[in-house]
Amino acid sequence: NAGVTQTPKFQVLKTGQSMTLQCAQDMNHNSMYWYRQDPGMGLRLIYYSASEGTTDKGEVPNGYNVSRLNKREFSLRLESAAPSQTSVYFCASSEAASGRSGGYTFGSGTRLTVV
Amino acid sequence: SQQGEEDPQALSIQEGENATMNCSYKTSINNLQWYRQNSGRGLVHLILIRSNEREKHSGRLRVTLDTSKKSSSLLITASRAADTASYFCATASGSARQLTFGSGTQLTVLP
């Protein structure tokens, strides 16, 4: 099984450009999440989808939008990229909300640089 | 804001020694989880302990939870160079449907 697949792995954007980060899981998980990881700050939640058809804001949602396309796919969109959005982005999924039955499965990340 | 805070921020030990990392949190939790992250990779789930449990084991890992002190510890016994990674605690609180992660402990195991 592939688990959680994120594309692309690396991306360089110019300020003001837009892009969509893709995430897909093949474990039939109900919940999916987008986190960003910055040095010394751990992971911060951007958006999550507790179940298909629902999305909710996390700790740092400004500048981002999400789409839960179907049960497998959860995309993150940057409409107008800013240097402050330079970060490593992780998608994760879990069978039950908050990973209470078995934890989260993470993708390998997207390293985004905005210049 | 971070719910869990790991201590120490960095830890360096010799192969074969035990490594202990601590996590403190602020509000009541349903469960607490530990994850490992190797450099340049995604996080990997290690172990989950529920609020009504006090200790849990998985291979060379031992996790304790003290809800009265709002703290948890992760012990890795007989460490190996391959254990070199960052370790994060994560908490699920109340009706929250997502985890909140701490800032991590960087463990280096010297051969």
Side-chain angles (χ1 to χ4, degrees), chain A residues 33 35 37 40-45 48 50 54 56 59 90 97-108 111, chain B residues 1-2 9 30-31 33 35 37 40-45 48 50 88 91-93 96-104:
Chain A
Y33 315 85
Y35 286 85
Q37 185 176 33
M41 299 192 72
L43 281 79
R44 292 183 292 169
L45 182 65
Y48 67 101
T54 69
D56 287 284
E59 181 185 353
F90 287 100
S98 77
R100 63 179 182 269
S101 59
Y104 286 6
T105 300
F106 278 84
S108 57
R111 189 172 297 274
Chain B
S1 60
Q2 308 297 121
Q9 291 187 338
N30 297 325
N31 68 72
Q33 303 174 30
Y35 289 78
Q37 184 181 33
R41 308 293 293 274
L43 281 74
V44 174
H45 180 256
L48 180 153
R50 303 187 191 286
F88 295 87
T91 55
S93 301
R97 296 177 294 173
Q98 73 287 339
L99 291 175
T100 301
F101 285 81
S103 54

Side-chain angles (χ1 to χ4, degrees), chain A residues 38-98:
Chain A
D38 301 295
M41 299 192 72
L43 281 79
R44 292 183 292 169
L45 182 65
I46 305 171
Y47 272 93
Y48 67 101
S49 172
S51 60
E52 187 179 358
T54 69
T55 60
D56 287 284
K57 295 179 180 179
E59 181 185 353
V60 288
N62 291 346
Y64 306 94
N65 284 300
V66 290
S67 294
R68 184 76 183 266
L69 304 171
N70 47 54
K71 192 171 186 179
R72 290 187 63 247
E73 299 172 285
F74 188 38
S75 63
L76 178 70
R77 182 161 179 83
L78 287 71
E79 290 292 349
S80 179
S84 60
Q85 294 178 305
T86 293
S87 187
V88 181
Y89 291 85
F90 287 100
C91 177
S93 69
S94 63
E95 181 179 347
S98 77

